[in-house]
Amino acid sequence: MATNTTTDNPIRELNSPALERGPLWIRDLRKASLESFNTTPVPPRGLHLWRYTDPEKFLLKNDVIDTAFGEHFDQAEEVELKHFEDGTLAGLVIDNGGRQIDVRLSGDLAQMGVVVMPLSEAIESHRELVEKHLYQTVNNTTGKFEAMNGALWNDGIFVYIPDNKTVERPIHLLREAGRANSAAFPRLLVVVGQNAEVTLVDEYAGGAPSTEDGFAYCNAVVELIGGQDSRTRYISLQRQGQGTISYLTHRARIAKGATMLTVPFAFGGSISKQNFGVNLNGEGANSKMVGLLFGTGRQHFDNHTMHHHSVGQTFSDIDFKVVLRDKARSAYTGLIRIDHSAKTCEAYQENRNLLLNRGTRAETIPELEILNEDVSCSHGATVGPLDEMEVFYLMARGIAREEAVRMIVSGYVRSTITMAPEDLQERLSAVIADRLGDL
Amino acid sequence: MSDKKPLLSFNDVHVEVEGKEVVRGVTLTINAGETHAIMGPNGSGKSSLSQALMGHPSYAITRGEAFLKGESILDMDPDERSRAGLFLAFQYPLAIPGVTVANFMRSALQSHRGKDADMSDFRKLFKAEMNALGIDHVFATRYLNEGFSGGEKKRIEILQMAMLQPSVAILDETDSGLDIDALKTVAEGINRFHNDNNGILLVTHYQRLLNYVKPDYVHVMKAGHLVKSGGPELALELEDRGYDWVVGEEENQKVEV
């Protein structure tokens, strides 16, 4: 069984130069990942987390080459460059599919010992830190496609905030996927030291704007380590073109007393599968996820969140909102896992799905694996159309229906957008306005 | 009475909700400068009539006619009715998370004035009306009705009325849930709004609001009909004697005022 479900186009046929990148210990890890990818069967459709999306879509086809990258082309670049220049951002990284990674860091950050650099450089200059954490939370055992990234990441970004340092302004990472028939494998490793604080915006842009010329492919991995009493805000913004097949696995592990706010925005891609997970690994650890997904056209989203309480007296909360219009689809699976030994935990989860028209479809699947009884837990899910009473109320004040709907939806997503740094909120609101523009 | 200018008039209006007829032929004319009160027990159909006149999607007018300043409103959407000059103060105003009172108010006023109309006076006007109603300015940036007390919601309804300056305002149980101070403030707001060019329809169960907002005419509604009409003294009588003594002999009478 295992043999005939193994992919029929193993990566070695692509002869990716990425496999030969890095020092020997990295090349060994890449080869182990490659081996794992080639021998791990494609997940069967019935398997957990693959019920709603065909895994075959994430296999690289032979006609996909990994060189179809050109100049930077995303309009966000100009905006964020301005934000860096006027001092709104403490750092800006422009990552062109891993081919070229330009790092801009304000002087005070460098003085503080904050490190933001291409992963390929950090492997040499900060080997101890990188070796300690890279492949620790996402690796071959996570899954077939995570192994694929482990083998093929072109280059990645490394962020390190030293102990007791607070970075007050956001650091923005702008990652551009390639156009049609390209493949990108971004990777991010973030280490936040003890009692350190940082806000990171991890933006995935570019990709193929439509499927006319074929698909662009992107398979990303994010690993975050939050040290004791650290405070991390991590915003993930997926707004790749609608001809992009996009896969992302995120894992964070936070220590005693650490807080982590994870804010995923999922707007882009043709097929987008994202998996955000936080492991609460020390007493008093606190993780909050506030997500927003807005699908239009024929977009297909498959999002998973996980809170894993492996230590007692930890707190987690998820508020994941979905808005769909046209023929967009979304499946959301939210797992709360509390280990047997993790007593007196609190874990909450809410998933609301707003369907703007018939023809959209949303699935919501809460999953609780709670292995002890001394916990406080709740989950809630709703799927439904707009509240017509709200629409009537606004119309009764003279506001036309389309405008009333725009106001209600913009209001609905507002509490999520305000979780992002202020300088990003304008762009996020513009995405929402654009998606509601032709209602 | 030909010098009177009818603002809202409806004739033999029937309203159905979920297939059930709850208003069974009501006729009334409100002229410029007049205040009418429709009083009645719970379930008499008075709120259903209000909702139906505003165009609530669940309350269908199945028979009859309704005119605002001579123009039939039955084919108008609720926003068109509003822009034509009709206002309904909701009994249970809805909370709209993420939409601030100021943004909502600005959008509403912009809709009334027209898409490209000048709004440079908005802030000044908005602040003045908030001051007049004793509404703290922090409410401007709060989300519409979210977490507001009953009294706060009703004040915000009156604020909307004051800003939009409708020709006819229907106030549905605006007095419910108000303590005496809030009741006075709201009543003052209504009185300040009222002039010779507009009309008011108060829909209420109790007469206590009528101590502060003097109606010219009082109508009693029972089981979907207006069963009795009179002057302000009728409200006092209802307060003393309840609704049971009003019998149905005046059912379906046409109120000519």
Side-chain angles (χ1 to χ4, degrees):
Chain A
M1 162 122 187
T3 50
N4 63 18
T5 49
T6 301
T7 173
D8 58 3
N9 53 344
I11 296 171
R12 65 175 72 89
E13 288 180 16
L14 291 166
N15 196 20
S16 171
L19 290 165
E20 301 307 325
R21 282 191 196 130
L24 186 63
W25 65 276
I26 285 288
R27 291 203 302 269
D28 284 347
L29 287 168
R30 285 183 185 277
K31 277 172 193 144
S33 296
L34 174 66
E35 191 55 26
S36 178
F37 173 78
N38 285 336
T39 55
T40 304
V42 175
R45 286 302 301 272
L47 195 71
H48 180 236
L49 301 186
W50 288 103
R51 252 167 265 158
Y52 299 99
T53 305
D54 181 1
E56 298 277 346
K57 304 277 188 197
F58 299 102
L59 292 170
L60 268 182
K61 299 291 181 264
N62 284 330
D63 58 351
V64 173
I65 50 167
D66 62 349
T67 55
F69 285 80
E71 72 291 0
H72 300 314
F73 48 79
D74 194 84
Q75 78 279 9
E77 190 181 323
E78 202 179 315
V79 178
E80 297 309 332
L81 271 169
K82 223 170 115 222
H83 282 159
F84 179 74
E85 274 150 25
D86 69 17
T88 310
L89 295 175
L92 173 64
V93 179
I94 296 174
D95 169 2
N96 185 12
R99 269 76 185 161
Q100 191 188 335
I101 296 181
D102 298 326
V103 178
R104 290 170 176 82
L105 203 58
S106 74
D108 53 323
L109 259 72
Q111 268 186 344
M112 282 159 69
V114 170
V115 178
V116 180
M117 60 169 57
L119 195 49
S120 57
E121 284 176 32
I123 284 165
E124 310 283 356
S125 62
H126 295 76
R127 174 168 175 170
E128 207 178 314
L129 269 173
V130 174
E131 199 167 7
K132 189 174 167 196
H133 296 296
L134 191 68
Y135 292 93
Q136 291 306 299
T137 56
V138 182
N139 54 39
N140 305 345
T141 63
T142 316
K144 183 177 179 73
F145 300 105
E146 290 75 7
M148 189 182 191
N149 179 289
L152 293 181
W153 55 274
N154 326 61
D155 198 350
I157 300 171
F158 175 68
V159 176
Y160 170 64
I161 316 296
D163 293 354
N164 303 310
K165 299 297 180 194
T166 294
V167 180
E168 281 170 0
R169 294 168 292 147
I171 297 171
H172 194 112
L173 316 176
L174 177 57
R175 342 273 295 267
E176 292 174 289
R179 300 247 196 212
N181 303 314
S182 73
F185 297 89
R187 195 165 184 114
L188 171 64
L189 174 63
V190 179
V191 180
V192 185
Q194 284 192 19
N195 191 37
E197 180 173 324
V198 70
T199 290
L200 272 176
V201 177
D202 192 13
E203 176 172 7
Y204 296 84
S210 76
T211 55
E212 267 171 43
D213 306 316
F215 289 96
Y217 180 88
C218 183
N219 175 339
V221 165
V222 175
E223 294 181 282
L224 289 122
I225 307 297
Q228 189 174 325
D229 297 319
S230 63
R231 299 166 300 279
T232 309
R233 175 166 57 155
Y234 171 76
I235 288 96
S236 170
L237 170 54
Q238 206 285 64
R239 40 169 290 274
Q240 288 163 337
Q242 296 208 2
T244 310
I245 292 176
S246 194
Y247 188 91
L248 178 140
T249 299
H250 154 284
R251 284 291 178 271
R253 183 190 293 147
I254 58 173
K256 186 176 171 182
T259 59
M260 171 87 54
L261 170 62
T262 308
V263 190
F265 292 99
F267 299 138
S270 164
I271 297 172
S272 169
K273 187 165 169 65
Q274 300 185 308
N275 184 337
F276 290 89
V278 178
N279 172 215
L280 299 104
N281 199 32
E283 258 180 37
N286 180 317
S287 170
K288 203 171 167 178
M289 280 193 205
V290 187
L292 173 65
L293 184 165
F294 196 141
T296 67
R298 291 182 167 271
Q299 284 185 296
H300 174 109
F301 291 91
D302 185 342
N303 274 59
H304 179 54
T305 64
M306 181 196 68
H307 267 144
H308 177 193
H309 297 248
S310 50
V311 170
Q313 292 181 47
T314 48
F315 177 95
S316 74
D317 189 14
I318 291 178
D319 170 9
F320 197 92
K321 287 191 189 129
V322 173
V323 184
L324 299 177
R325 58 171 291 193
D326 308 329
K327 294 191 176 226
R329 296 189 168 189
S330 160
Y332 168 77
T333 315
L335 169 66
I336 298 172
R337 185 191 162 92
I338 302 182
D339 288 354
H340 179 70
S341 58
K343 309 277 187 190
T344 64
C345 290
E346 285 181 60
Y348 306 102
Q349 182 175 296
E350 193 179 343
N351 170 226
R352 280 183 281 167
N353 297 268
L354 183 58
L355 309 181
L356 297 185
N357 55 262
R358 284 164 171 273
T360 52
R361 204 164 86 193
E363 310 279 349
T364 173
I365 309 101
E367 299 179 314
L368 305 177
E369 286 178 20
I370 295 166
L371 307 178
N372 78 78
E373 287 178 0
D374 187 12
V375 298
S376 179
C377 243
S378 76
H379 66 88
T382 57
V383 180
L386 273 175
D387 182 346
E388 280 301 321
M389 294 307 95
E390 291 182 12
V391 177
F392 171 58
Y393 184 53
L394 297 193
M395 288 178 78
R397 299 299 178 250
I399 298 167
R401 184 178 179 85
E402 297 73 22
E403 178 65 13
V405 170
R406 274 194 283 271
M407 285 177 79
I408 293 166
V409 178
S410 306
Y412 171 79
V413 304
R414 182 98 202 111
S415 62
T416 312
I417 286 179
T418 52
M419 292 288 151
E422 262 177 52
D423 58 283
L424 191 63
Q425 289 180 21
E426 200 177 312
R427 278 180 51 207
L428 292 168
S429 297
V431 171
I432 302 298
D434 181 54
R435 301 216 137 184
L436 291 168
D438 58 340
L439 269 179
Chain B
M1 302 293 173
S2 58
D3 60 326
K4 286 189 178 172
K5 187 181 159 203
L7 292 179
L8 178 66
S9 61
F10 42 93
N11 182 22
D12 191 30
V13 161
H14 291 245
V15 176
E16 267 185 28
V17 56
E18 290 168 357
K20 190 173 166 238
E21 193 172 68
V22 289
V23 176
R24 298 167 178 163
V26 169
T27 297
L28 186 67
T29 296
I30 297 167
N31 295 308
E34 290 177 357
T35 299
H36 290 244
I38 293 183
M39 301 185 68
N42 291 331
S44 58
K46 58 191 192 305
S47 275
S48 301
L49 175 66
S50 315
Q51 300 276 4
L53 287 171
M54 196 67 238
H56 189 297
S58 312
Y59 294 79
I61 295 183
T62 52
R63 232 169 90 189
E65 311 168 295
F67 298 95
L68 184 67
K69 294 182 279 186
E71 205 179 340
S72 173
I73 58 171
L74 294 188
D75 289 332
M76 293 183 183
D77 285 334
D79 56 317
E80 295 170 314
R81 296 183 197 196
S82 167
R83 293 195 299 270
L86 188 63
F87 182 88
L88 171 67
F90 281 54
Q91 183 177 2
Y92 303 109
L94 284 99
I96 314 284
V99 176
T100 64
V101 172
N103 272 346
F104 162 66
M105 205 61 255
R106 178 185 281 275
S107 297
L109 194 60
Q110 183 89 66
S111 302
H112 277 251
R113 288 183 178 179
K115 203 161 119 309
D116 303 317
D118 178 36
M119 292 290 285
S120 57
D121 60 335
F122 173 76
R123 288 169 70 91
K124 204 176 150 196
L125 192 64
F126 187 51
K127 277 185 181 172
E129 294 296 348
M130 281 199 290
N131 289 343
L133 282 159
I135 297 170
D136 194 313
H137 289 194
V138 300
F139 278 87
T141 54
R142 285 183 61 184
Y143 295 152
L144 183 59
N145 293 323
E146 199 176 55
F148 290 14
S149 72
E152 287 161 352
K153 285 181 189 172
K154 296 301 170 75
R155 275 184 214 214
I156 297 293
E157 291 293 290
I158 299 302
L159 173 68
Q160 294 169 37
M161 178 181 76
M163 293 289 291
L164 297 177
Q165 288 292 316
S167 301
V168 176
I170 304 170
L171 307 173
D172 187 9
E173 306 276 4
T174 293
D175 51 335
S176 70
L178 297 183
D179 62 29
I180 188 69
D181 291 333
L183 182 69
K184 279 184 186 170
T185 313
V186 162
E188 280 165 22
I190 298 167
N191 290 331
R192 204 167 37 247
F193 159 75
H194 189 38
N195 61 37
D196 289 343
N197 298 316
N198 60 35
I200 292 176
L201 179 60
L202 303 167
V203 175
T204 179
H205 184 94
Y206 302 104
Q207 81 95 36
R208 60 181 202 141
L209 177 65
L210 308 184
N211 290 333
Y212 303 97
V213 181
K214 291 287 174 217
D216 302 300
Y217 304 96
V218 174
H219 314 278
V220 181
M221 192 158 180
K222 272 182 93 172
H225 301 282
L226 292 187
V227 294
K228 194 170 182 65
S229 294
E233 72 289 344
L234 181 56
L236 295 169
E237 206 169 349
L238 288 167
E239 186 77 352
D240 281 347
R241 300 174 62 186
Y243 287 107
D244 287 345
W245 65 276
V246 185
V247 288
E249 83 264 16
E250 292 169 76
E251 267 184 24
N252 291 326
Q253 73 160 334
K254 193 156 182 166
V255 182
E256 292 288 358
V257 290

